[in-house]
Amino acid sequence: MPHSDLGRVEALLVDMDGTLVNSDAAVERRWTAWALAHDVDPSAVIATCHGEATGATMRRFRPDLPEATIEADVQAHMRAETSDVEGVVTAVGADEFLAAVGRLGLPWAVVTNADRALALARLGAAGVEPPSLTTVEEVPAGKPDPASYRLAADRLGVPIERCLVVEDSGSGVAAGLAAGAVVAALGRDDGHLRITDLRELADLLLAARG
Protein backbone atom coordinates (compact mmCIF):
# COMPACT_ATOMS: atom_id res chain seq x y z
CA MET A 1 0.00 0.00 0.00
CA PRO A 2 1.47 3.42 -0.92
CA HIS A 3 2.04 5.55 2.16
CA SER A 4 -0.01 8.32 0.53
CA ASP A 5 -3.10 6.11 0.86
CA LEU A 6 -2.98 6.76 4.60
CA GLY A 7 -4.41 10.17 3.77
CA ARG A 8 -7.74 8.47 2.99
CA VAL A 9 -7.99 6.75 6.38
CA GLU A 10 -10.88 8.06 8.48
CA ALA A 11 -10.46 6.03 11.69
CA LEU A 12 -7.98 3.77 13.46
CA LEU A 13 -8.73 0.38 15.02
CA VAL A 14 -5.82 -0.61 17.22
CA ASP A 15 -5.01 -3.96 18.81
CA MET A 16 -4.03 -3.87 22.48
CA ASP A 17 -1.50 -6.51 23.56
CA GLY A 18 1.75 -6.35 21.62
CA THR A 19 0.58 -3.34 19.61
CA LEU A 20 -0.51 -0.47 21.85
CA VAL A 21 0.45 -2.06 25.16
CA ASN A 22 3.51 -4.15 26.00
CA SER A 23 2.12 -6.87 28.25
CA ASP A 24 4.44 -9.68 27.16
CA ALA A 25 5.80 -10.40 30.64
CA ALA A 26 2.33 -10.67 32.19
CA VAL A 27 0.99 -12.75 29.30
CA GLU A 28 3.89 -15.17 29.49
CA ARG A 29 3.66 -15.53 33.27
CA ARG A 30 0.02 -16.56 33.10
CA TRP A 31 0.40 -18.91 30.12
CA THR A 32 3.41 -20.56 31.70
CA ALA A 33 1.32 -21.29 34.79
CA TRP A 34 -1.51 -22.73 32.68
CA ALA A 35 0.86 -24.87 30.60
CA LEU A 36 2.61 -26.36 33.61
CA ALA A 37 -0.74 -27.17 35.23
CA HIS A 38 -1.83 -29.05 32.08
CA ASP A 39 1.39 -30.91 31.19
CA VAL A 40 2.10 -28.72 28.16
CA ASP A 41 5.44 -27.22 27.09
CA PRO A 42 5.26 -23.54 28.14
CA SER A 43 7.58 -22.41 25.35
CA ALA A 44 5.29 -23.93 22.73
CA VAL A 45 2.25 -22.17 24.21
CA ILE A 46 4.03 -18.83 24.48
CA ALA A 47 5.16 -19.08 20.86
CA THR A 48 1.56 -19.18 19.63
CA CYS A 49 -0.68 -17.55 22.27
CA HIS A 50 -0.09 -13.88 21.41
CA GLY A 51 -3.09 -12.39 19.69
CA GLU A 52 -5.20 -15.55 19.89
CA ALA A 53 -8.38 -15.93 21.90
CA THR A 54 -7.69 -17.65 25.22
CA GLY A 55 -10.02 -20.58 24.59
CA ALA A 56 -8.56 -21.18 21.13
CA THR A 57 -5.06 -21.51 22.57
CA MET A 58 -6.25 -23.92 25.25
CA ARG A 59 -8.11 -26.06 22.72
CA ARG A 60 -5.06 -26.12 20.45
CA PHE A 61 -2.82 -27.64 23.13
CA ARG A 62 -5.37 -29.69 25.07
CA PRO A 63 -8.09 -30.72 22.58
CA ASP A 64 -8.91 -33.64 24.88
CA LEU A 65 -10.26 -31.42 27.64
CA PRO A 66 -14.06 -31.24 28.01
CA GLU A 67 -15.60 -27.97 26.86
CA ALA A 68 -16.79 -27.24 30.39
CA THR A 69 -13.19 -27.51 31.61
CA ILE A 70 -11.98 -25.17 28.87
CA GLU A 71 -14.64 -22.62 29.73
CA ALA A 72 -13.75 -22.77 33.42
CA ASP A 73 -10.05 -22.45 32.60
CA VAL A 74 -10.74 -19.44 30.37
CA GLN A 75 -12.58 -17.66 33.19
CA ALA A 76 -9.86 -18.48 35.73
CA HIS A 77 -7.14 -17.43 33.28
CA MET A 78 -8.83 -14.09 32.60
CA ARG A 79 -9.22 -13.38 36.31
CA ALA A 80 -5.55 -14.19 36.94
CA GLU A 81 -4.44 -11.97 34.04
CA THR A 82 -6.63 -9.11 35.22
CA SER A 83 -4.93 -9.10 38.63
CA ASP A 84 -1.41 -9.37 37.13
CA VAL A 85 -0.42 -6.10 35.46
CA GLU A 86 3.15 -5.87 36.74
CA GLY A 87 5.39 -4.57 33.97
CA VAL A 88 2.53 -3.56 31.67
CA VAL A 89 3.52 -0.36 29.83
CA THR A 90 2.82 1.41 26.56
CA ALA A 91 4.50 -0.13 23.51
CA VAL A 92 7.41 1.55 21.74
CA GLY A 93 6.15 4.66 19.97
CA ALA A 94 2.62 4.42 21.41
CA ASP A 95 2.75 7.83 23.09
CA GLU A 96 3.88 9.52 19.87
CA PHE A 97 1.28 7.61 17.89
CA LEU A 98 -1.59 8.65 20.16
CA ALA A 99 -0.37 12.25 20.12
CA ALA A 100 -0.38 12.18 16.31
CA VAL A 101 -3.87 10.67 16.20
CA GLY A 102 -5.10 13.41 18.52
CA ARG A 103 -3.41 16.11 16.45
CA LEU A 104 -5.08 14.78 13.30
CA GLY A 105 -8.46 14.50 15.01
CA LEU A 106 -8.97 10.89 13.90
CA PRO A 107 -11.48 8.73 15.79
CA TRP A 108 -9.92 5.55 17.15
CA ALA A 109 -10.72 2.45 19.13
CA VAL A 110 -8.97 -0.40 20.86
CA VAL A 111 -10.06 -3.83 19.57
CA THR A 112 -8.87 -6.80 21.60
CA ASN A 113 -9.29 -10.51 22.20
CA ALA A 114 -9.19 -9.74 25.94
CA ASP A 115 -12.40 -9.36 27.93
CA ARG A 116 -13.41 -5.92 29.19
CA ALA A 117 -12.06 -6.32 32.72
CA LEU A 118 -8.65 -7.43 31.47
CA ALA A 119 -8.52 -4.76 28.78
CA LEU A 120 -9.33 -2.00 31.27
CA ALA A 121 -6.74 -3.35 33.73
CA ARG A 122 -3.94 -3.38 31.16
CA LEU A 123 -4.88 -0.11 29.51
CA GLY A 124 -5.13 1.50 32.93
CA ALA A 125 -1.72 0.17 33.95
CA ALA A 126 -0.26 1.65 30.76
CA GLY A 127 -2.09 4.95 31.18
CA VAL A 128 -4.13 4.63 27.98
CA GLU A 129 -7.78 5.78 27.82
CA PRO A 130 -9.31 4.81 24.47
CA PRO A 131 -12.46 6.67 23.37
CA SER A 132 -13.95 3.33 22.27
CA LEU A 133 -13.22 -0.25 23.30
CA THR A 134 -14.40 -3.49 21.69
CA THR A 135 -13.65 -6.72 23.56
CA VAL A 136 -13.97 -10.41 22.90
CA GLU A 137 -17.13 -11.06 24.90
CA GLU A 138 -19.06 -8.62 22.66
CA VAL A 139 -18.74 -10.76 19.51
CA PRO A 140 -19.56 -14.38 18.62
CA ALA A 141 -15.87 -15.19 18.06
CA GLY A 142 -12.56 -13.46 18.65
CA LYS A 143 -9.81 -12.78 16.14
CA PRO A 144 -9.07 -14.15 13.53
CA ASP A 145 -12.82 -13.78 13.08
CA PRO A 146 -13.46 -10.26 11.70
CA ALA A 147 -16.53 -9.54 13.86
CA SER A 148 -14.74 -7.40 16.46
CA TYR A 149 -13.25 -5.09 13.84
CA ARG A 150 -16.56 -4.71 12.04
CA LEU A 151 -18.30 -3.90 15.33
CA ALA A 152 -15.64 -1.34 16.28
CA ALA A 153 -15.98 0.41 12.90
CA ASP A 154 -19.77 0.50 13.26
CA ARG A 155 -19.44 2.08 16.69
CA LEU A 156 -17.22 4.82 15.27
CA GLY A 157 -19.63 5.35 12.37
CA VAL A 158 -16.89 4.82 9.78
CA PRO A 159 -17.03 2.28 6.91
CA ILE A 160 -14.58 -0.53 7.62
CA GLU A 161 -12.93 0.09 4.24
CA ARG A 162 -11.91 3.55 5.50
CA CYS A 163 -10.43 2.20 8.73
CA LEU A 164 -6.78 1.42 9.39
CA VAL A 165 -6.32 -1.67 11.55
CA VAL A 166 -3.02 -1.79 13.47
CA GLU A 167 -1.92 -5.28 14.50
CA ASP A 168 1.09 -7.34 15.55
CA SER A 169 -0.21 -10.92 15.36
CA GLY A 170 -1.14 -13.24 12.52
CA SER A 171 -4.65 -13.76 13.85
CA GLY A 172 -5.16 -10.03 14.22
CA VAL A 173 -3.90 -9.24 10.73
CA ALA A 174 -6.17 -11.98 9.36
CA ALA A 175 -9.15 -10.47 11.20
CA GLY A 176 -8.46 -7.00 9.82
CA LEU A 177 -8.07 -8.26 6.27
CA ALA A 178 -11.22 -10.40 6.50
CA ALA A 179 -13.15 -7.40 7.82
CA GLY A 180 -12.16 -5.40 4.75
CA ALA A 181 -9.94 -2.82 6.46
CA VAL A 182 -6.55 -1.49 5.48
CA VAL A 183 -4.03 -3.24 7.75
CA ALA A 184 -0.73 -1.94 9.13
CA ALA A 185 1.28 -4.87 10.49
CA LEU A 186 3.98 -4.45 13.12
CA GLY A 187 7.08 -6.29 11.94
CA ARG A 188 5.03 -8.44 9.55
CA ASP A 189 4.63 -8.68 5.79
CA ASP A 190 1.08 -10.08 5.68
CA GLY A 191 -0.76 -6.75 5.92
CA HIS A 192 -0.99 -3.88 3.46
CA LEU A 193 1.74 -1.89 5.18
CA ARG A 194 4.70 -3.11 7.26
CA ILE A 195 5.79 -0.87 10.13
CA THR A 196 8.59 -1.24 12.64
CA ASP A 197 6.82 0.46 15.56
CA LEU A 198 4.05 2.93 16.28
CA ARG A 199 6.41 5.89 16.09
CA GLU A 200 6.99 5.08 12.42
CA LEU A 201 3.23 4.88 11.82
CA ALA A 202 2.73 8.24 13.54
CA ASP A 203 5.27 9.83 11.18
CA LEU A 204 3.62 8.23 8.12
CA LEU A 205 0.17 9.43 9.13
CA LEU A 206 1.36 12.98 9.74
CA ALA A 207 3.23 13.07 6.44
CA ALA A 208 0.33 11.59 4.46
CA ARG A 209 -2.15 14.10 5.90
CA GLY A 210 -0.03 17.17 5.44
Side-chain angles (χ1 to χ4, degrees):
M1 181 188 82
H3 294 169
S4 58
D5 286 358
L6 291 174
R8 302 203 306 264
V9 167
E10 295 178 9
L12 294 147
L13 307 178
V14 189
D15 174 55
M16 183 178 71
D17 293 313
T19 301
L20 191 60
V21 170
N22 182 348
S23 57
D24 285 357
V27 169
E28 293 176 8
R29 280 195 300 270
R30 301 321 314 163
W31 276 113
T32 295
W34 180 86
L36 292 174
H38 289 83
D39 299 319
V40 176
D41 177 10
S43 63
V45 176
I46 288 168
T48 61
C49 70
H50 295 282
E52 248 192 19
T54 302
T57 298
M58 292 177 177
R59 292 182 188 95
R60 178 198 300 268
F61 287 96
R62 288 298 307 270
D64 57 306
L65 292 176
E67 190 61 24
T69 301
I70 293 289
E71 290 302 321
D73 277 5
V74 167
Q75 295 305 313
H77 191 87
M78 289 291 194
R79 288 194 298 271
E81 286 192 309
T82 300
S83 64
D84 183 1
V85 293
E86 182 180 353
V88 174
V89 296
T90 51
V92 173
D95 294 335
E96 294 90 339
F97 170 71
L98 294 178
V101 171
R103 176 177 165 185
L104 294 169
L106 288 169
W108 66 283
V110 167
V111 184
T112 176
N113 267 349
D115 66 14
R116 189 170 188 83
L118 176 56
L120 291 175
R122 286 185 177 161
L123 291 166
V128 176
E129 297 182 12
S132 181
L133 173 63
T134 296
T135 59
V136 72
E137 74 265 46
E138 299 177 276
V139 292
K143 308 170 195 177
D145 189 281
S148 57
Y149 277 120
R150 289 174 177 158
L151 176 59
D154 286 345
R155 285 174 166 171
L156 294 181
V158 177
I160 189 65
E161 297 81 7
R162 307 294 286 185
C163 293
L164 179 67
V165 162
V166 189
E167 273 284 358
D168 73 308
S169 70
S171 62
V173 169
L177 293 174
V182 178
V183 179
L186 278 163
R188 305 181 62 92
D189 295 316
D190 47 357
H192 297 103
L193 172 67
R194 178 189 175 100
I195 55 173
T196 301
D197 56 38
L198 292 180
R199 185 181 294 112
E200 179 184 1
L201 182 56
D203 291 343
L204 291 173
L205 284 168
L206 290 169
R209 305 177 76 87

